[in-house]
Amino acid sequence: MASVTPEKVEKHLEENTIITPVVGLAFFAIASGFLMSLIPLSLPYFGLEPTLTPWLASVFYFGLLLGATGTQGIIKKCGHRRAFILFLGIVASTVILMLVLPHQITWLLARFIAGMAVAGVFVVVESWLLMANCAKQRAKRLGLYMAALYGGSAVGQLAISALGTNGLLPFVSVLALLCAAILVPVFIRKGQPSSHDQQAISRKEVRHISRPAIIGCIVSGLLLGPIYGLMPSYLTLVSPYAQHTGLLMACIIVGGMAIQPIASAMSTRMSKSLLMALFCLLGCGAVLGVLEATNLTMMAASLLVLGASSFALYPIAITLACDGLPVAKMVSATEMMLLCYSVGSVLGPLLATTFTEADNRLIVYLGVCLITTCLYMLFKSAETLHSGHKPIAG
């Protein structure tokens, strides 16, 4: 086997373009955002019980958790582009399966498989974008990735009112979007990074990965799992703004989109653990704003800031985890970070619903997560500065 020289690595990095993963991800995000809301709302049309909803969500995230552990081998064997096509094709196949066999067991199996495939999509795209020459470029690329992901999810929510939830048309529309996502890597064959020399992270190397990076990914899941799964119910059943639930949820996602270029720019100029602490502190202020909101404007502004602070943690944490790692370890690192996020997203809704009996337990739970993470990140940032390490490393 030919040796991998620094010149070859540099050449691969220069040829690594972001058009394919970002455009493909945008179509996938629209389809996925639409499908996540469509599935529970379409259950009556297919003769399925609404009580199936939480099980469908749980089995999807369990699939996401398992899928985050087995993606590296597929990417190494197939390459990023073909792996991207494979995982998108599997997601599309699960939608077809749900239409052909509308039974609760079939739907549960389909969502479990879809969860594993979606994990593959995330690892492919994240590792593809993180294979860049410098930390600044990686941060910029990951910020673009998060903006495409959340922007597509927001657009997907709008399809509910435009296409409805009954009949085959909504699901056919999801399939069309997934096919569009597949066509991007099919026709744009250039620009993928080299994957044959990918290496797994050893147990010894795992011990040296930044603890704030790991905690940041877990906390991101602990926050975003309940925000996605429980916030709509909170806004509808608990808050006095039930008629504006769609608008307020959009504010959260828009906040997450808008903060990405700011977070990516700041992450190269200061300690990443300190930056996560500042975003958590900002989120604590947003939580107080939600609890004390006296009008729709104040509620919308508070949720906008809450979305910005919550959605900023994952891209900062994953770039921190990749600081100092060779390109050959990027796939393994992104796989591990997605696993940490998945653990948080599985536990988050459960913890949020059992945290307290108060009506505002979801918001109180988010506040506790944010303030404890803020204190931890401040402590780690001060520890790093005291030990004399460069602050940019987190």
Side-chain angles (χ1 to χ4, degrees), residues 9 38-39 43 92 104 113 128 131 133 137 150-151 157 196-197 211 228 274 284 291 301-302 304 332 336 360 369:
V9 173
L38 175 62
I39 286 175
L43 291 176
Q104 61 179 9
I113 296 173
W128 190 330
M131 290 182 183
N133 287 303
Q137 192 176 17
Y150 299 145
Q157 300 300 318
H196 70 277
D197 57 337
R211 291 295 178 268
Y228 274 127
L274 177 59
C284 292
L291 293 174
S302 299
L304 184 79
S332 184
M336 189 176 74
N360 291 315
C369 284

Side-chain angles (χ1 to χ4, degrees), residues 150-360:
Y150 299 145
S153 298
V155 173
Q157 300 300 318
L158 301 177
I160 292 293
S161 57
L163 299 175
T165 59
N166 292 325
L168 299 180
L169 177 61
F171 285 90
V172 172
S173 300
V174 169
L175 282 172
L177 288 165
L178 289 173
C179 288
I182 293 172
L183 289 176
V184 175
V186 166
F187 286 108
I188 305 178
R189 299 189 175 189
K190 295 183 178 180
Q192 71 168 333
S194 174
S195 57
H196 70 277
D197 57 337
Q198 290 301 307
Q199 303 171 14
I201 295 178
S202 66
R203 291 184 179 180
K204 184 178 181 180
E205 289 173 316
V206 168
R207 294 198 298 268
H208 291 92
I209 289 181
S210 169
R211 291 295 178 268
I214 295 174
I215 296 298
C217 286
I218 294 174
V219 172
S220 178
L222 290 172
L223 293 172
L224 296 185
I227 285 176
Y228 274 127
L230 304 178
M231 186 64 78
S233 297
Y234 168 81
L235 294 173
T236 302
L237 302 175
V238 179
S239 79
Y241 309 104
Q243 67 273 28
H244 301 290
T245 296
L247 171 65
L248 294 174
M249 284 301 297
C251 286
I252 296 176
I253 298 176
V254 169
M257 281 181 57
I259 202 63
Q260 296 308 317
I262 300 173
S264 63
M266 293 178 66
S267 66
T268 60
R269 292 173 168 82
M270 61 185 297
S271 163
K272 292 181 177 65
S273 54
L274 177 59
L275 183 58
M276 285 190 282
L278 294 177
F279 276 119
C280 288
L281 185 60
L282 184 66
C284 292
V287 165
L288 291 176
V290 171
L291 293 174
E292 300 296 329
T294 56
N295 54 65
L296 180 61
T297 301
M298 184 177 178
M299 186 69 164
S302 299
L303 289 175
L304 184 79
V305 176
L306 179 62
S309 57
S310 300
F311 282 92
L313 296 181
Y314 185 74
I316 299 171
I318 197 171
T319 53
L320 175 57
C322 292
D323 280 348
L325 284 179
V327 172
K329 305 282 187 179
M330 289 299 177
V331 173
S332 184
T334 53
E335 193 177 63
M336 189 176 74
M337 291 301 103
L338 179 61
L339 177 64
C340 293
Y341 170 84
S342 301
V343 170
S345 65
V346 170
L347 295 177
L350 177 62
L351 295 175
T353 53
T354 59
F355 187 73
T356 177
E357 295 299 322
D359 291 338
N360 291 315

